[in-house]
């Protein structure tokens, strides 16, 4: 089956620092990836996505990097703010079929 | 556009009962997926409906079922509830028709089985 795993279950960063959240995936055929943010008591919120024909995509304060060679995905958050504290999930998809999710990384921003 | 909505937001049921949860996707989205989220197992895929047909199915027992209506609204049903069914049930909608797979989640229904 699919396997999407996260390198670190928890991450603490100082406010204003940059955060990097990592994700490993096992299916080399995966062609689409999403990062989600989930705050306590809420559903996952779409942050940014990337297709396999790209290796980098930038959004507002966030950047996703895709390294297909080592099947690794990362989410970079610039100037991390207290409101960024949440659990972050990566999800991967192959040919438009079902998404597979990582276990999540809990990000805590220290004021 | 309005986001994905789910009703009810909270439910408390007793073992052996059944429950029906509802999901209204983003307007124009024809695909609805359901997930179960628990602290121990994370997000697990239940099934996906597209144009009223089940398109994908996860590894859950037959007690978990779903359907989709012509307006793309979807329901999932869990029969003979067990304590282990306590979870956050999330639905997500996708606009597959144009080949975009961005998936957006609703707030979830928190089911507690006692």
């Amino acid at each position: 089956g699919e396997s999407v795993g996260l390198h670190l279950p928890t991450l603490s960063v100082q406010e204003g620092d940059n955060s990097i959240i990592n994700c490993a995936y096992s299916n080399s055929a995966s062609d689409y990836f999403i990062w989600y943010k989930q705050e306590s008591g809420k559903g996952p919120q779409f942050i940014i996505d990337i297709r396999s024909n790209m290796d980098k995509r930038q959004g507002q304060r966030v950047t996703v990097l895709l390294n297909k060679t080592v099947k690794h995905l990362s989410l970079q958050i610039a100037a991390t703010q207290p409101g960024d504290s949440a659990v972050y999930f990566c999800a991967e998809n192959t040919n438009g079929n079902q998404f597979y999710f990582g276990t999540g990384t809990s990000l805590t921003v220290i004021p | 556009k309005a986001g994905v909505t789910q009703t009810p937001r909270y439910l408390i049921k007793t073992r052996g009962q059944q429950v029906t949860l509802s999901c209204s996707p983003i307007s124009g989205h024809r695909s609805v997926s359901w997930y179960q989220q628990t602290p121990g197992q994370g997000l697990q895929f239940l099934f996906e409906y597209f144009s009223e047909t089940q398109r994908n199915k996860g590894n859950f027992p037959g007690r978990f079922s779903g359907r989709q209506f012509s307006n793309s609204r979807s329901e999932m049903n869990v029969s003979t509830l067990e304590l282990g069914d306590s979870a956050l049930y999330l639905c997500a909608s996708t606009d597959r028709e144009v080949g975009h797979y961005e998936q957006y989640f609703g707030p979830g229904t928190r089911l507690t089985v006692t």
Side-chain angles (χ1 to χ4, degrees):
Chain A
E2 303 287 346
S3 174
V4 181
L6 292 167
H7 289 227
L8 295 172
T10 61
L11 177 65
S12 295
V13 298
Q14 290 289 144
E15 181 179 358
D17 286 353
N18 297 333
S19 302
I20 300 176
I21 300 171
N22 296 304
C23 177
Y25 64 95
S26 61
N27 187 354
S28 57
S30 294
D31 57 6
Y32 180 64
F33 304 86
I34 300 178
W35 277 102
Y36 288 96
K37 171 187 179 184
Q38 187 174 25
E39 297 173 280
S40 181
K42 298 183 179 180
Q45 175 189 353
F46 181 103
I47 301 173
I48 191 168
D49 61 352
I50 189 167
R51 298 188 183 276
S52 59
N53 60 354
M54 304 171 69
D55 54 20
K56 180 179 180 180
R57 191 161 188 228
Q58 290 184 290
Q60 187 177 14
R61 283 200 306 118
V62 295
T63 300
V64 55
L65 299 177
L66 175 62
N67 185 330
K68 293 181 289 293
T69 302
V70 295
K71 292 183 285 188
H72 183 269
L73 193 68
S74 69
L75 177 70
Q76 300 178 0
I77 305 174
T80 314
Q81 303 168 358
D84 295 328
S85 293
V87 175
Y88 290 81
F89 296 93
C90 63
E92 56 99 7
N93 189 287
T94 307
N95 295 326
N97 292 312
Q98 70 184 75
F99 280 89
Y100 291 90
F101 286 80
T103 53
T105 291
S106 177
L107 174 66
T108 300
V109 180
I110 304 166
Chain B
K1 286 183 179 178
V4 179
T5 59
Q6 292 187 245
T7 57
R9 292 294 312 278
Y10 302 92
L11 264 179
I12 300 175
K13 289 286 187 179
T14 304
R15 272 181 302 174
Q17 288 186 314
Q18 73 164 13
V19 67
T20 299
L21 312 181
S22 180
C23 171
S24 292
I26 292 171
S27 178
H29 284 193
R30 292 167 58 185
S31 167
V32 173
S33 295
W34 288 91
Y35 295 86
Q36 181 194 68
Q37 186 177 35
T38 59
Q41 299 296 322
L43 267 160
Q44 295 189 87
F45 174 76
L46 281 155
F47 29 66
E48 178 197 4
Y49 285 87
F50 178 75
S51 294
E52 302 179 64
T53 301
Q54 189 178 85
R55 190 168 176 271
N56 286 301
K57 188 176 189 305
N59 298 320
F60 276 81
R63 300 186 296 109
F64 293 81
S65 62
R67 59 176 175 168
Q68 187 180 33
F69 302 95
S70 58
N71 61 357
S72 294
R73 189 178 71 85
S74 177
E75 290 181 345
M76 69 161 282
N77 184 77
V78 188
S79 62
T80 320
L81 284 165
E82 301 176 0
L83 294 178
D85 296 333
S86 293
L88 180 66
Y89 289 88
L90 294 158
C91 84
S93 75
T94 307
D95 180 8
R96 288 187 179 280
E97 189 169 14
V98 295
H100 291 167
Y101 305 130
E102 296 93 333
Q103 181 175 234
Y104 297 91
F105 281 88
T109 294
R110 173 71 64 185
L111 172 65
T112 302
V113 182
T114 62

